[in-house]
Coordinates of all heavy atoms in Angstrom, one line a residue:
L7 N 87.3 127.7 138.4 CA 87.8 128.7 139.2 C 88.0 130.1 138.6 O 87.8 131.1 139.3 CB 89.2 128.2 139.8 CG 89.9 129.0 140.9 CD1 88.9 129.2 142.2 CD2 91.2 128.5 141.4
H8 N 88.5 130.2 137.4 CA 88.7 131.3 136.6 C 87.8 131.3 135.3 O 88.3 131.2 134.3 CB 90.1 131.6 136.2 CG 91.0 131.6 137.4 ND1 91.2 132.7 138.2 CD2 91.8 130.6 138.0 CE1 92.1 132.4 139.2 NE2 92.5 131.2 139.1
P9 N 86.4 131.3 135.5 CA 85.5 131.2 134.4 C 85.6 132.4 133.5 O 85.5 133.6 133.9 CB 84.2 131.0 135.1 CG 84.3 131.8 136.3 CD 85.8 131.6 136.8
D10 N 85.6 132.2 132.1 CA 85.6 133.3 131.2 C 84.1 133.8 131.1 O 84.0 134.9 130.9 CB 86.2 132.8 129.9 CG 87.5 132.5 129.8 OD1 88.3 133.1 130.6 OD2 87.9 131.6 129.1
K11 N 83.2 132.8 131.2 CA 81.8 133.2 131.1 C 81.0 132.1 131.7 O 81.5 131.1 132.1 CB 81.4 133.3 129.6 CG 81.5 132.1 128.8 CD 81.1 132.2 127.4 CE 81.3 130.9 126.5 NZ 80.9 131.1 125.2
D12 N 79.8 132.4 132.0 CA 78.9 131.4 132.6 C 78.4 130.4 131.6 O 78.2 130.7 130.4 CB 77.6 132.2 133.2 CG 77.8 133.0 134.4 OD1 78.8 132.7 135.1 OD2 77.1 133.9 134.6
P13 N 78.3 129.2 132.1 CA 77.8 128.1 131.2 C 76.3 128.4 130.8 O 75.6 129.2 131.5 CB 77.9 126.8 132.1 CG 78.8 127.2 133.1 CD 78.7 128.7 133.3
P14 N 75.8 127.7 129.7 CA 74.4 127.9 129.4 C 73.5 127.5 130.5 O 73.6 126.6 131.3 CB 74.2 126.9 128.2 CG 75.6 126.7 127.6 CD 76.6 126.8 128.9
A15 N 72.5 128.4 130.7 CA 71.5 128.2 131.8 C 72.0 128.1 133.2 O 71.4 127.4 134.0 CB 70.6 127.0 131.4
G16 N 73.2 128.7 133.4 CA 73.8 128.6 134.8 C 74.5 129.8 135.1 O 74.8 130.7 134.3
V17 N 74.9 130.0 136.3 CA 75.7 131.1 136.9 C 76.8 130.5 137.8 O 76.6 129.7 138.6 CB 74.8 132.1 137.6 CG1 75.6 133.2 138.3 CG2 73.7 132.7 136.7
I18 N 77.9 131.2 137.6 CA 79.1 130.9 138.5 C 79.3 132.2 139.3 O 79.7 133.2 138.7 CB 80.4 130.6 137.8 CG1 80.1 129.3 136.9 CG2 81.5 130.4 138.8 CD1 81.4 129.0 136.0
R19 N 78.9 132.3 140.5 CA 79.1 133.5 141.3 C 80.5 133.8 141.5 O 81.4 132.9 141.7 CB 78.4 133.5 142.6 CG 76.8 133.3 142.5 CD 76.2 133.4 143.8 NE 74.7 133.0 143.7 CZ 73.9 133.0 144.8 NH1 74.3 133.3 146.0 NH2 72.6 132.7 144.6
R20 N 80.9 135.1 141.4 CA 82.3 135.6 141.5 C 82.5 136.3 142.8 O 81.6 136.8 143.5 CB 82.7 136.4 140.3 CG 83.1 135.7 139.1 CD 82.0 135.6 138.1 NE 82.5 135.1 136.8 CZ 81.8 134.5 135.9 NH1 80.5 134.2 136.2 NH2 82.2 134.1 134.7
E21 N 83.8 136.4 143.1 CA 84.3 137.2 144.2 C 84.2 138.7 143.8 O 83.9 139.0 142.8 CB 85.6 136.7 144.7 CG 85.7 135.3 145.2 CD 87.1 134.8 145.7 OE1 88.1 135.5 145.3 OE2 87.1 133.9 146.4
A22 N 84.7 139.5 144.7 CA 84.6 141.0 144.5 C 85.3 141.5 143.3 O 84.9 142.5 142.7 CB 85.1 141.7 145.7
D23 N 86.3 140.8 142.8 CA 87.1 141.2 141.6 C 86.3 140.9 140.4 O 86.7 141.3 139.3 CB 88.4 140.5 141.6 CG 88.4 139.0 141.5 OD1 87.2 138.4 141.4 OD2 89.5 138.3 141.4
G24 N 85.2 140.1 140.5 CA 84.4 139.8 139.4 C 85.0 138.7 138.4 O 84.5 138.4 137.4
K25 N 86.1 138.1 138.8 CA 86.8 137.2 137.9 C 86.9 135.8 138.5 O 86.7 134.7 137.9 CB 88.2 137.7 137.6 CG 88.2 139.0 136.9 CD 89.6 139.4 136.6 CE 89.7 140.8 135.9 NZ 91.1 141.3 135.7
I26 N 87.2 135.6 139.8 CA 87.5 134.4 140.5 C 86.2 133.9 141.1 O 85.4 134.6 141.7 CB 88.6 134.5 141.6 CG1 89.9 135.0 141.0 CG2 88.8 133.1 142.3 CD1 90.9 135.3 142.0
A27 N 85.9 132.6 140.9 CA 84.6 132.0 141.4 C 84.7 132.1 142.9 O 85.6 131.8 143.6 CB 84.6 130.6 140.9
S28 N 83.5 132.4 143.5 CA 83.4 132.5 144.9 C 83.2 131.1 145.6 O 83.4 131.0 146.8 CB 82.1 133.4 145.3 OG 81.0 132.7 144.9
G29 N 82.7 130.2 144.8 CA 82.4 128.8 145.3 C 81.0 128.5 145.1 O 80.7 127.2 145.1
V30 N 80.1 129.4 145.0 CA 78.7 129.1 144.7 C 78.3 129.1 143.3 O 78.7 129.9 142.5 CB 77.8 130.2 145.4 CG1 76.3 129.9 145.2 CG2 78.1 130.3 146.8
I31 N 77.7 127.9 142.9 CA 77.4 127.6 141.5 C 75.9 127.5 141.4 O 75.2 126.8 142.2 CB 78.0 126.2 141.0 CG1 79.6 126.3 141.4 CG2 77.8 126.0 139.6 CD1 80.3 127.3 140.6
E32 N 75.3 128.0 140.3 CA 73.8 127.8 140.1 C 73.5 127.1 138.9 O 74.2 127.2 137.9 CB 73.2 129.3 140.0 CG 73.4 130.2 141.1 CD 72.9 131.6 140.9 OE1 72.2 131.8 139.8 OE2 73.1 132.5 141.8
E33 N 72.3 126.4 139.0 CA 71.6 125.8 137.9 C 72.5 125.0 137.0 O 73.2 124.1 137.3 CB 70.8 126.9 137.2 CG 69.8 127.7 138.1 CD 68.7 126.8 138.7 OE1 68.5 125.6 138.2 OE2 68.1 127.2 139.7
G34 N 72.4 125.3 135.6 CA 73.1 124.5 134.6 C 74.6 124.3 134.8 O 75.2 123.4 134.3

């Protein structure tokens, strides 16, 4: 929910504040 960084080979999309996860997760 509050990711410091994206995991390897993956992306955690964030909300407008750039900090809290939007809910959409990619790849790794």
